[in-house]
Amino acid sequence: MQQVEQASVVVLGTGGTIAGTAAQAGDNIGYTAAQVTVDQLLDAIPMLPGALGGRRLVTEQVAQVDSKDMSVAIWRALAARCRHWLADASVQGIVITHGTDTLEETAWFLQTLLRPGKPVVLTCAMRPATSLAPDGPQNLLDAVAVVQDPAAQGVLAVCAGVVHGARDVRKNHPYRLDAFDSGDAGPLGYVEEGRVRWVKSVTFEADPVVKWSPDAIDLILDQPVWPWVEILTSHAGASGAVADLLVQGGVHGLVAACTGNGSLHHDLEASLLRAQAAGVDVVRATRCALGQVLPKAGDQLPHSNGLSPVKARVSLMLNRLAAQATR
Ligand code: SIN
């Protein structure tokens, strides 16, 4: 008889407030992120074995960082570990514990790079593990429920009982426990008492911003130097001085966080057009919290296909990297 391997759920720790500690239990802002190991976080959830329903739990501490300090080196390590575990037939999916501050960037990075058929679920917390009422354990338990749901696929984010897709999720509040939303798209579902109630089907069509084939992943991950891409905000009194200096310094890409429907202060616009002419990749995203830049006749700078400035930066970097890797 063929031996059926026991299904597993993998949990990768990267730090964040979910792993944070404060000197005083009532302190939800004066804490240090990334102090508690992923094993300690899981050990603190007594109902976890029941939630896993006999599945094997595999854990790895990939990083231990406040996600404001997320780096290319950690992204590469995380992508490599995800790739390793996703290729294991016994693995049902991956949960990643992550800080809230750059969670949406990591989610988009992993989604566009890996395009996984299995679920990769990022979760987090707004209060440290030492809080009087920490939100991390419930979020982690919810992520474990999502990763085992047969309808789950691709990179998802779970926070405060809400499931978001990687393309749309964004942190929209610096303090509330329900700190994320999916903008105009709305969430994909809700986790209620260990069950996922999907309000949308989770499908990931080919994304217009992804400009390379999945075969290029190894080449991308092996590239020793990743492109230098910065974000510049257009605002009252903006100038082109910083963009000019960045181009002189050798920047590879610039994302403009534009006003409204992709408009730019004329001084910054002139400088970005010079940058584009000099071979720098330039993309316009809107700095508005909702909506996206709508293209119109006469646009001289491309738009971000609905990506926020931080996600447009990730895509610009990966597209440039893929072009460099497959040249
Ligand atoms: C972080 O992003 O690592 C710190 C903030 C948080 O997780 O809420």
Side-chain angles (χ1 to χ4, degrees):
M1 204 169 73
Q2 204 189 347
Q3 179 131 14
V4 179
E5 233 185 303
Q6 189 189 10
S8 341
V9 168
V10 176
V11 184
L12 305 178
T14 71
T17 294
I18 191 169
T21 56
Q24 276 151 19
D27 190 348
N28 290 320
I29 54 170
Y31 59 86
T32 308
Q35 302 299 302
V36 178
T37 66
V38 69
D39 287 328
Q40 288 171 307
L41 291 179
L42 292 162
D43 286 348
I45 307 176
M47 53 293 287
L48 187 65
L52 283 165
R55 286 173 188 80
R56 191 168 68 103
L57 185 64
V58 180
T59 63
E60 278 184 12
Q61 193 75 48
V62 176
Q64 189 64 301
V65 72
D66 184 320
S67 82
K68 71 179 175 55
D69 298 324
M70 187 49 66
S71 64
V72 160
I74 297 174
W75 272 356
R76 287 163 84 150
L78 188 59
R81 293 319 291 156
C82 286
R83 232 160 113 61
H84 168 83
W85 287 116
L86 289 169
D88 182 331
S90 75
V91 170
Q92 193 161 355
I94 300 174
V95 171
I96 300 174
T97 57
H98 198 288
T100 60
D101 285 339
T102 57
L103 181 145
E104 69 213 59
E105 294 170 59
T106 300
W108 185 237
F109 167 75
L110 293 175
Q111 173 62 33
T112 48
L113 185 70
L114 304 176
R115 294 173 244 175
K118 294 180 187 179
V120 175
V121 184
L122 283 93
T123 195
C124 55
M126 289 297 287
R127 291 180 179 161
T130 49
S131 172
L132 277 178
D135 52 329
Q138 185 66 56
N139 285 346
L140 195 39
L141 202 57
D142 288 350
V144 167
V146 173
V147 87
Q148 295 176 84
D149 189 284
Q153 58 164 304
V155 180
L156 305 167
V158 175
C159 181
V162 187
V163 188
H164 305 274
R167 198 182 214 281
D168 297 303
V169 66
R170 62 190 291 165
K171 185 172 179 180
N172 70 0
H173 203 284
Y175 185 73
R176 280 191 212 138
L177 302 190
D178 191 1
F180 289 86
D181 72 25
S182 286
D184 291 341
L188 296 175
Y190 300 93
V191 192
E192 296 159 344
E193 299 299 306
R195 281 178 193 278
V196 189
R197 176 167 60 90
W198 299 102
V199 291
K200 282 188 196 151
S201 60
V202 191
T203 49
F204 296 101
E205 288 127 35
D207 200 293
V209 300
V210 182
K211 302 206 173 105
W212 72 92
S213 106
D215 309 343
I217 295 177
D218 285 328
L219 288 172
I220 290 176
L221 287 175
D222 282 352
Q223 290 296 300
V225 181
W226 284 32
W228 175 22
V229 184
E230 296 286 346
I231 301 173
L232 294 174
T233 302
S234 190
H235 51 82
S239 83
V242 177
D244 288 343
L245 284 171
L246 287 167
V247 174
Q248 277 169 34
V251 79
H252 299 114
L254 291 170
V255 175
C258 300
T259 40
N261 188 32
S263 55
L264 288 156
H265 186 288
H266 60 84
D267 285 341
L268 177 57
E269 183 171 33
S271 162
L272 292 174
L273 287 168
R274 283 194 294 278
Q276 184 174 251
V280 174
D281 290 330
V282 181
V283 171
R284 289 175 305 132
T286 182
R287 64 177 216 185
C288 294
L290 299 176
Q292 62 182 72
V293 176
L294 301 174
K296 57 185 188 328
D299 282 343
Q300 291 178 278
L301 295 168
H303 62 88
S304 67
N305 278 291
L307 294 179
S308 64
V310 291
K311 289 184 191 174
R313 179 185 170 274
V314 170
S315 284
L316 200 162
M317 190 177 72
L318 286 176
N319 283 336
R320 184 131 190 158
L321 201 50
Q324 170 185 313
T326 54
R327 229 186 334 247

